[in-house]
Amino acid sequence: MVLKAFFPTCCASADSGLLVGRWVPEQSSAVVLAVVHFPFIPLQVKELLAQVHQAGRVGLAVLGTWCHRRQEAEESLGHFLEGLGTIFSHEPWLQLCREQGSKLWSCKATRRQVPPCPGAPYEDQVMLVFYDQRKVLLSQLHPPAALPDCLAGDAAPSAGGLAAVFDTVARSEALFRSDRFDDGPVRLSHWQSDGVEASILAELAKRASGPVCVLLACLLSLVSAASACRLFKLWPLSFVWSKLSVCEQLRHRLEQLTLVFSTQKAENPTQLMRKANVLVSVLLDVALGLALLSWLRGKDRIGPLAEALVPVADHVAEELQHLLQWLMGAPAGLKMNRALDQVLGRFFLYHLHLWISYIHLMSPFIERILWHVGLSACLGLTVALSILSDIIALLTFHIYCFYVYGARLYCLKICGLSSLWRLFRGKKWNVLRQRVDSCSYDLDQLFIGTLLFTILVFLLPTTALYYLVFTLLRLLVVAVQGLMHLLVDLINSLPLYSLGLRLCRPYRLAAGVKFRVLEHEAGRPLRLLMQINPLPYGRVVHTYRLPSCGCHPTHPWGSLCRKLFFGELIYPWRQRGDKQA
Amino acid sequence: MEDERSFSDICGGRLALQRRYYSPSCREFCLSCPRLSLRSLTAVTCTVWLAAYGLFTLCENSMILSAAIFITLLGLLGYLHFVKIDQETLLIIDSLGIQMTSSYASGKESTTFIEMGKVKDVVINEAIYMQKVIYYLCILLKDPMEPHGISQVVPVFQVSTEQLSKVFSPKKICYLSPFSAFLLLLMFSRNVNSSCQDYLRTPDSYF
């Protein structure tokens, strides 16, 4: 196998010295992490490597020598470097050499011991792969290589392929902590040797985050304790809370904030990303909510909105009345059963009349209610949208009631029809065996059964028409509510921090690597540049997507149509409690 | 070392294959696809604008014309950025892996790198496209869960039928070892030494 030497681009202009890194025998690759410069004491170099080994559990060694020729005649340096091979024995011993200011490199990898297979050369062919150490250190491979548990003993985890390079660089962070301004025993060249990277803002944020997290965690625990109070678990209140989507959304947000401000540190990068995504999502939500609030207050839009609400509700009720009158007549030229038609029509009209009176009763309070709702927008746009969805549900409650009446009536009719149809054919439903069996009926049973069947069949069009009309209205309202819930879900689950990271720092989220062949001359070793291949946006969203509320319709289309046909009630939103049940 | 030959693809457009030999352990194959023809671009633009003008005469709304211009521009940009591939490159590095790069007409480059450890085998698949049988080179990837299973089939650029039918009978599905598959690619190269060429001249004995 060709020997691959992974060389950091920052060391390409460094002075001569020793190459320090990790040798991966399975892939025959040498990952160079730093260059140790003269003068050094071999014992101190070995101590440093042992320290890094303890800190990161990665076995480093001196891999070879690096020679950067400044003048033409530096033969003595060459001999000196060769002599070092006897002090730090490593198989194979790498010798990299570069002329000053030229792009020509020469590499040699020698083996002192007898090679395992006869005929194999004492010198291996070397391929140089340059990598940007800082980017490789900061990046995270997706999917991460399945590493064995790092706490298990001293064994260096063996990640497959190129993930080993990333892993090695990530674990050797202790090696990069010293820069050239430190007066340490060993002088190294690596990506931070010109000065350790740090940011004042990041340090301040780290110091401040401790007490802030503790404070907010206390506040949030108080709020959650108050909400878990037994007063709210009494029957009418608990039923109302479970039906309102605002409560669901608030609970979801509370959970997310508890996660973000918990005093426990994130264990792995995925958890850290999740925390960051949640924080950015909450901040965006609140910012959008405040923008909505300022827009509402700006031109004092609440007053006209409240004034327009009652006439709109009245208009809707009037339209419904017209619809019912139309159904009571001869809708679309169909001939209805007059008596049943009148009964159903009058029943629904009375219900509508009650509803209009209720709206008129509420009208003085509407403006106050809207003002408070507008105030709730500072908790976030999602809360405002949930409240809007709940208000729509409350205002169209009469449509819901009509739908339930129509569906129940239609369902009863269908049940009766199916059972009497079986009687008509001389069969019955065997509850014990859960199948249809033949049955011999008496004459009077058959007579009454057939009579009832005929009545139900002729009354079917009327009931079916009422059911159809109210189901369509209900589905319209459900669709509008569904759109709002979709928007809330989108804001809840979109991983904005990850998307921003992918946009601004694409090397942080790596899907893999890509290689570019650098200038090549015959007789010289092959030089490649390894760059990070960033994760595509679709995969970023898929991997870091936040869990949403869980309140979206879960019916497949087939079962929905079946339920509609048989008149079973459709509950579009499964609340969290139902899902667990 | 560079070499260039031209072929034609299944639709009759001209393809150019460029072979680069960097070192004994690294080769690059570059396939340039036919460019966007001015004729088809003009035809599509004229159709869209004529349709928009027809709608405008019906509705007397000038927004339709602006919308047609926007649609044409956005459609062209989307086509150039997401659909039209200018060049496909295959870089094979011994004991590292295989890299496939597609460069789009808008300059976007999408790269996939497959590590050598994940490659199970390289095969030539035959497929029926309309009334023709076409052959394409595929890389089979190992399944980490199942040692003998295949997790993915990755097609490399499609080879024109004329070349392959000269070498072996099109009725057989050829199953090659990775070395032979690379030899197949090298077959297009003139640098293959004579013993390999003799090998390739008697395909029936090999398969």
Side-chain angles (χ1 to χ4, degrees), chain B residues 5 39 49 54 82 87 100 107 129 151 166 180 184 195 207:
Chain B
R5 283 176 69 165
R39 200 184 296 177
W49 284 2
F82 294 111
Q87 207 183 52
M100 294 176 292
Y129 178 80
S151 75
K166 280 184 201 157
S180 325
L184 169 78
S195 57
F207 297 114

Side-chain angles (χ1 to χ4, degrees), chain A residues 4 161-162 513 515 520 533, chain B residues 22 26 95-96 99 111 113 115:
Chain A
K4 299 171 280 275
L162 289 157
V513 293
F515 291 92
H520 177 68
N533 203 10
Chain B
Y22 290 114
C26 181
S95 78
L96 253 187
Q99 175 169 288
T111 318
F113 180 74
E115 290 183 51

